[in-house]
Amino acid sequence: MAYTLDLIGGRWKPNILWALLGGKLRYSELKKNIPDVSERILVLQLRELEKDGLIKRLVYAEVPPRVEYELTNDGASMKPMLECISAWGDKHRPNKTN
């Protein structure tokens, strides 16, 4: 458990992984999906997730350059865990409506 939490720990990494479960996203699309994260932190978290092999950064040789992010196989294998975390949060969130 400690290793997993080391990889995805923090406030934004699970949000990034969750957003990428739907497929490739550009940086601007990720920023829209996670509006409360600062640009500096988003870049830092993306770099860490890439370094840890959970996402990959795809750079297209276009003008202007286009960059997309997508889950690796290891990142995609976290889907059941992320779904459980999300479901638990939905169930236990204060002031939820039934």
Side-chain angles (χ1 to χ4, degrees):
M1 182 173 57
Y3 176 71
T4 305
L5 290 174
D6 186 49
L7 291 178
I8 66 162
R11 184 169 179 189
W12 303 111
K13 287 182 183 180
N15 292 311
I16 294 167
L17 294 168
W18 184 259
L20 290 173
L21 285 175
K24 293 178 190 174
L25 291 174
R26 296 179 75 163
Y27 176 85
S28 61
E29 295 168 318
L30 277 168
K31 183 73 176 108
K32 284 179 193 171
N33 276 303
I34 314 168
D36 294 334
V37 67
S38 71
E39 292 198 23
R40 180 182 159 277
I41 296 298
L42 181 57
V43 168
L44 178 67
Q45 300 285 271
L46 288 167
R47 286 182 184 156
E48 288 178 11
L49 288 166
E50 184 180 11
K51 178 184 68 77
D52 292 333
L54 298 178
I55 66 170
K56 58 184 161 184
R57 183 175 184 260
L58 306 162
V59 181
Y60 297 92
E62 300 174 352
V63 177
R66 179 170 52 113
V67 177
E68 293 179 332
Y69 296 90
E70 73 177 346
L71 295 175
T72 62
N73 288 336
D74 284 347
S77 73
M78 292 185 157
K79 181 178 181 177
M81 176 184 56
L82 294 168
E83 289 173 335
C84 286
I85 292 169
S86 178
W88 189 94
D90 288 342
K91 183 177 179 181
H92 293 90
R93 178 177 297 134
N95 302 320
K96 66 178 179 166
T97 55
N98 292 335

